[in-house]
Amino acid sequence: MEVISTISVSKFFNKTSVLDNVSIQVNEGEIYGFLGLNGAGKTTLIRILLGMIRPNEGVVKLFGKVVGTKFNSWNDIGYLVETPCAYPNLSVNENLKVMYELRHLKNRLLIPAIIDRLKLTAYTNTKSKNLSLGNQQRLGLAKALMHQPKLLILDEPINGLDPEGIVEVRELLKELVGKGSTVFLSSHILGEISKIASRIAIIDHGKLLQQMPTEELKHKLIKSVLIKTNDNRQALKHLIDRGYQASLKEGDEVEVKGEKAVLYPEHIAKLLVDHEMDLKQLYVHTEDLEMFFLRAIRT
């Protein structure tokens, strides 16, 4: 089942195009990573998904229903968009009670359960304005998660969290998906997305550039062999003479590309040692998601 579907969605502010013919599909039980630089159109699309603004063109569906004035499944959705909002003079517990009432929930145990789950117990009676940035983010997540939504839409959910908090949120999202929820996750922390997303999409200047399963991404990452010797220029000459795709990189390294080099780096080592070159470094390097992302938006 497609939990999120956008069909040729475009959005303009005055004459400026912010989204240009964006079509995405997010399936039930996925963690869908949505990547883009600041100003790429990520938050605009999220606001359209949540009915906060309307597209100029195209159709948006959640749970197979068109998002519009008759859409009635908002209680199946949790969200955190940009910075978490809370009533500054209300405590953590009071803020969650407000959200509880607004959603017309019927189980009072949901509030202490989510406070405990997000490790806010020590701050239950602390006013929102007195929370650290990280705990404000936890409160925002608590409000998004308290009603156990079928769809969770998160925009930069780990902003302000320390490393322990980031790991906790990662495990929490995996737990939710394991129970049948779907997560749409926008973040600039690309390494985190690569650890949990089942599919990723890349948007730049309002245009969707790529959309693929994370497993497929692994096959698109560029691999190369990085070498340092006692004479890199001489090493480069020997490698080129033997037909390798080699070049000098900044940082005093020789980079060797191509399947032959990546699959058999030991052949390179033997070649250089046979030519009496002292090897200081030789390893197979794989670009990470951040490098792939930058390459995608620059091509």
Side-chain angles (χ1 to χ4, degrees):
M1 171 185 169
E2 287 185 354
V3 176
I4 297 176
S5 174
T6 73
I7 305 165
S8 302
V9 166
S10 296
K11 180 64 181 176
F12 307 90
F13 291 113
N14 296 322
K15 294 182 179 180
T16 302
S17 174
V18 182
L19 293 175
D20 184 1
N21 198 36
V22 174
S23 297
I24 65 169
Q25 295 77 41
V26 181
N27 300 316
E28 186 175 13
E30 280 192 316
I31 297 180
Y32 186 94
F34 197 52
L35 310 179
L37 300 175
N38 291 337
K42 304 190 304 299
T43 301
T44 298
L45 182 64
I46 286 174
R47 291 181 178 277
I48 288 173
L49 293 177
L50 293 171
M52 296 176 177
I53 56 176
R54 294 182 180 181
N56 296 104
E57 299 171 3
V59 177
V60 177
K61 293 182 180 180
L62 300 179
F63 310 110
K65 304 174 186 177
V66 174
V67 174
T69 55
K70 295 182 179 180
F71 185 81
N72 60 358
S73 296
W74 294 117
N75 242 25
D76 291 328
I77 301 168
Y79 61 89
L80 177 61
V81 181
E82 295 184 302
T83 56
C85 295
Y87 294 100
N89 289 311
L90 297 185
S91 68
V92 167
N93 190 58
E94 290 167 338
N95 266 285
L96 291 173
K97 281 182 179 178
V98 170
M99 185 57 66
Y100 180 94
E101 296 296 336
L102 287 172
R103 289 194 177 276
H104 305 289
L105 302 177
K106 303 299 182 184
N107 181 3
R108 286 283 178 184
L109 294 178
L110 290 173
I111 295 175
I114 197 63
I115 286 176
D116 179 67
R117 186 66 184 84
L118 285 165
K119 297 189 176 181
L120 286 167
T121 305
Y123 305 97
T124 300
N125 297 312
T126 301
K127 290 183 178 181
S128 168
K129 66 182 180 181
N130 296 326
L131 295 173
S132 67
L133 178 60
N135 283 327
Q136 287 178 12
Q137 197 75 4
R138 288 174 189 267
L139 176 56
L141 286 167
K143 290 161 66 178
L145 294 168
M146 177 173 59
H147 60 299
Q148 301 170 345
K150 295 178 182 177
L151 170 62
L152 188 59
I153 298 176
L154 300 175
D155 189 12
E156 305 289 359
I158 56 179
N159 272 357
L161 295 180
D162 57 23
E164 182 182 14
I166 290 173
V167 172
E168 288 169 3
V169 170
R170 185 197 309 157
E171 295 306 312
L172 177 58
L173 296 182
K174 288 180 180 178
E175 179 184 315
L176 288 169
V177 168
K179 293 179 179 179
S181 295
T182 302
V183 178
F184 182 93
L185 175 62
S186 167
S187 178
H188 70 281
I189 304 179
L190 308 184
E192 275 306 305
I193 292 237
S194 67
K195 290 174 184 174
I196 60 173
S198 48
R199 278 201 301 150
I200 66 164
I202 296 174
I203 188 171
D204 188 49
H205 290 93
K207 293 180 180 289
L208 193 67
L209 302 183
Q210 302 199 38
Q211 185 176 207
M212 75 190 81
T214 308
E215 283 300 312
E216 182 182 327
L217 169 67
K218 292 177 182 177
H219 300 293
K220 293 192 174 186
L221 299 177
I222 292 176
K223 296 182 178 180
S224 61
V225 178
L226 297 181
I227 300 163
K228 285 185 179 181
T229 73
N230 60 325
D231 188 341
N232 284 344
R233 292 193 177 277
Q234 192 63 25
L236 178 65
K237 180 179 183 303
H238 291 311
L239 289 165
I240 292 174
D241 288 346
R242 289 294 296 270
Y244 284 101
Q245 304 171 42
S247 61
L248 280 176
K249 280 176 59 76
E250 290 182 14
D252 196 32
E253 289 180 320
V254 177
E255 181 179 37
V256 190
K257 296 181 179 179
E259 187 176 14
K260 181 173 71 169
V262 170
L263 292 179
Y264 305 105
E266 68 273 17
H267 294 178
I268 294 175
K270 185 176 185 305
L271 169 65
L272 296 176
V273 170
D274 286 347
H275 283 84
E276 299 182 347
M277 308 219 67
D278 295 331
L279 271 175
K280 298 180 179 179
Q281 166 191 294
L282 188 150
Y283 71 96
V284 177
H285 170 74
T286 303
E287 70 176 346
D288 57 19
L289 180 55
E290 183 172 328
M291 294 169 68
F292 175 82
F293 169 77
L294 292 174
R295 182 161 57 86
I297 66 173
R298 289 169 180 169
T299 54

